[in-house]
Amino acid sequence: MTIGEKEKDLAELLTIIGKHRDVIVAMGNGEPDYLLTAIDENPNVFSSLRIHQILEMKNRQYIQGEHPNIRYVSYFMSGFARKAFLKGKCDLMPNHFHQMPQLLTSVTVNPVIICQTSPMDEDGYFSLGTEADYTAHFIGKAPFIIQVNEYVPRSVGENKIHISQVEGFLHHNQPLHELPEIPVRDIDKKIATYIAERIDDGSTLQVGIGGIPNAVVGLLRHHRNLGIHTEMLTDGIYDLVQHGAITGTEKKTHKEKMVATFALGSKKLYNFLDQNQGIKMLSVDQVNDPRIIAQEDQMVAINASTEIDFYGQCASETVAGKYYSSTGGQADFGAGVRFAKNGKGFICLYSTAKNDTISRIQPTLAPGSVVTTSKNDVDYVVTEYGIAQLKGKGIFERTKLLINIAHPKFRDELTFEAKKMGFLI
């Protein structure tokens, strides 16, 4: 089949998709909006369809369960899927991010992959651009249908699809999603200070998005020879590169390369990603594999939680016992740093919720809470009132340390509860 024969119109691509029971959709800016909108607006084309995705970027009728013949399966949940899940309108598949390729292989039947790519290069390759995620794992293993978009950067890594591996494609240009700038508050700076002073020159970082990660990055600009091995490439990482803090010379794997499995941020980040030989986009089963993460001697992982108990259990997926998101890569990196030679894992949380009326440090987790980072994997816990290293500490000592970094207004109450539990004398 020639290149021209593989370029299809929308109706032809929907017919191809309709021959499959399972559709795997790329995450983030790999999401082909034009194709997904067409699926949503033409549900009668499909007899039965299951759509699998992590981090959906736009609300759709099939996410909300409005098409009885289409079932949506989320692997993380944005706000759109969260509402649908709590109403029983879509499914949530528990997973560790690094195991998603394996999991998708086992739960789908003859899947088709649909994604968004850069235009084809002179050698016949499309780039997944801001993505590698789980999509890259299926290159050469499953048919691809792609939406070619000139706004998608041509990134470097193991995320290229040859025209021979594509079942059909069309062109549709539209700007990529950009994240709004997240302001850094004083409370974020306080938490970040405790973390930044424990990050040594030459460390390899995993950082995410939010006020606290942004504040940490802002305090690392004068560090030297930092490396990047992270699931998500962010604007903050771009800023560190501009300040000369990142060289990757001390890394043990992919030396002098920034490794990520997806990128999400602003246009300047996407421009930075375009044809950048210093960045390597790899499938999530490589980037987030704890065994590979552990090969970095000075690996540092920074993640957030919503609640922690005296045992050190971190509930990062639920709020007051109700599902809010899912595991993502937190557990992957939590395990990875635990096995790294000098690894450090930081779990960050504000000390209170709901205008200082609820302590996020509790004797036991709220009923219905889901543990993301286990008591066995937790290392440092940080609030605006201090930092506690729980690794290597018994339950009684953990309880004391956590009460010390709780909001002062709750410390007496927490101490009382700890004594009732027999954790304090």
Side-chain angles (χ1 to χ4, degrees):
M1 185 180 292
T2 65
I3 294 175
E5 291 175 318
K6 291 195 173 185
E7 185 167 7
K8 311 286 186 180
D9 62 29
L10 198 53
E12 290 175 308
L13 291 182
L14 292 179
T15 299
I16 295 173
I17 294 171
K19 295 178 182 178
H20 298 267
R21 193 189 84 174
D22 289 290
V23 174
I24 297 172
V25 182
M27 64 181 289
N29 274 312
E31 178 180 288
D33 177 61
Y34 186 61
L35 284 172
L36 295 182
T37 299
I39 291 174
D40 216 20
E41 293 177 348
N42 298 276
N44 294 332
V45 172
F46 315 103
S47 58
S48 178
L49 202 64
R50 289 196 308 168
I51 299 177
H52 307 257
Q53 189 185 14
I54 189 171
L55 193 58
E56 47 282 318
M57 300 299 289
K58 186 175 180 180
N59 198 14
R60 304 181 193 279
Q61 294 179 69
Y62 63 69
I63 292 177
Q64 301 305 320
E66 295 182 20
H67 305 314
N69 55 326
I70 302 178
R71 186 67 171 175
Y72 183 68
V73 184
S74 180
Y75 290 72
F76 185 76
M77 292 198 306
S78 68
F80 313 122
R82 184 183 311 130
K83 292 178 182 178
F85 173 74
L86 294 175
K87 294 177 182 178
K89 299 296 185 180
C90 76
D91 291 326
L92 174 64
M93 183 73 73
N95 69 94
H96 289 303
F97 196 10
H98 82 277
Q99 293 179 331
M100 268 200 68
Q102 177 186 7
L103 182 60
L104 286 166
T105 299
S106 67
V107 302
T108 60
V109 177
N110 188 28
V112 61
I113 318 299
I114 64 174
C115 60
Q116 181 166 245
T117 72
S118 70
M120 188 174 67
D121 65 18
E122 59 185 11
D123 296 318
Y125 285 94
F126 303 90
S127 169
L128 288 172
T130 61
E131 308 304 314
D133 55 64
Y134 43 87
T135 315
H137 171 84
F138 290 95
I139 297 174
K141 301 175 183 177
F144 273 71
I145 292 177
I146 61 177
Q147 174 179 308
V148 180
N149 183 355
E150 65 180 17
Y151 287 94
V152 175
R154 191 181 304 280
S155 58
V156 176
E158 298 175 14
N159 64 338
K160 295 180 179 179
I161 308 168
H162 192 264
I163 183 63
S164 63
Q165 298 163 323
V166 174
E167 190 160 341
F169 72 92
L170 55 69
H171 289 86
H172 182 79
N173 299 324
Q174 60 188 98
L176 303 183
H177 290 277
E178 295 185 52
L179 292 181
E181 186 173 348
I182 300 173
V184 175
R185 301 178 295 165
D186 288 342
I187 190 173
D188 300 320
K189 293 176 182 177
K190 286 182 180 179
I191 294 173
T193 299
Y194 296 117
I195 298 171
E197 65 188 13
R198 288 167 173 79
I199 296 177
D200 301 319
D201 288 345
S203 296
T204 298
L205 308 179
Q206 174 253 328
V207 293
I209 57 170
I212 297 172
N214 287 351
V216 172
V217 165
L219 295 174
L220 297 179
R221 291 173 177 174
H222 299 294
H223 278 58
R224 287 295 172 260
N225 298 325
L226 297 175
I228 297 297
H229 184 110
T230 186
E231 61 185 27
M232 180 178 178
L233 200 63
T234 66
D235 280 36
I237 292 172
Y238 167 81
D239 291 338
L240 285 181
V241 172
Q242 301 309 303
H243 282 84
I246 294 174
T247 64
T249 55
E250 302 299 314
K251 291 183 68 184
K252 303 301 181 184
T253 65
H254 305 289
K255 190 178 289 289
E256 300 181 1
K257 303 287 186 183
M258 290 173 280
V259 171
T261 199
F262 74 101
L264 191 58
S266 69
K267 186 176 180 180
K268 72 177 181 181
L269 176 67
Y270 306 145
N271 291 339
F272 174 66
L273 182 61
D274 188 50
Q275 302 189 66
N276 190 330
Q277 298 295 322
I279 300 172
K280 198 164 188 179
M281 302 294 288
L282 299 175
S283 177
V284 70
D285 52 354
Q286 299 180 62
V287 176
N288 280 44
D289 188 330
R291 295 166 296 186
I292 294 176
I293 295 168
Q295 293 175 33
E296 296 294 344
D297 288 348
Q298 297 188 76
M299 188 71 214
V300 174
I302 305 170
N303 289 287
S305 190
T306 58
E307 188 179 15
I308 186 170
D309 66 12
F310 289 160
Y311 299 99
Q313 300 181 113
C314 302
S316 309
E317 306 171 41
T318 48
V319 175
K322 287 190 176 182
Y323 244 112
Y324 187 83
S325 62
S326 194
T327 308
Q330 183 172 135
D332 295 342
F333 280 89
V337 297
R338 184 161 62 88
F339 288 109
K341 185 177 180 181
N342 296 304
K344 296 177 181 178
F346 297 92
I347 295 292
C348 313
L349 69 167
Y350 304 127
S351 65
T352 64
K354 291 190 175 181
N355 297 318
D356 294 340
T357 61
I358 299 174
S359 175
R360 292 185 184 271
I361 296 174
Q362 291 285 339
T364 57
L365 297 179
S369 295
V370 172
V371 175
T372 304
T373 296
S374 78
K375 69 185 191 310
N376 302 335
D377 289 325
V378 69
D379 190 2
Y380 290 94
V381 177
V382 197
T383 74
E384 70 271 27
Y385 290 101
I387 186 166
Q389 186 173 22
L390 302 190
K391 183 175 72 174
K393 306 295 194 304
I395 299 299
F396 299 161
E397 189 171 0
R398 287 182 175 206
T399 300
K400 293 179 183 178
L401 290 171
L402 288 170
I403 291 174
N404 286 340
I405 64 171
H407 193 289
K409 70 181 288 186
F410 291 105
R411 290 178 189 171
D412 287 345
E413 179 184 337
L414 291 171
T415 299
F416 176 77
E417 292 297 328
K419 289 180 178 179
K420 281 178 58 179
M421 296 170 70
F423 289 178
L424 292 177
I425 299 175

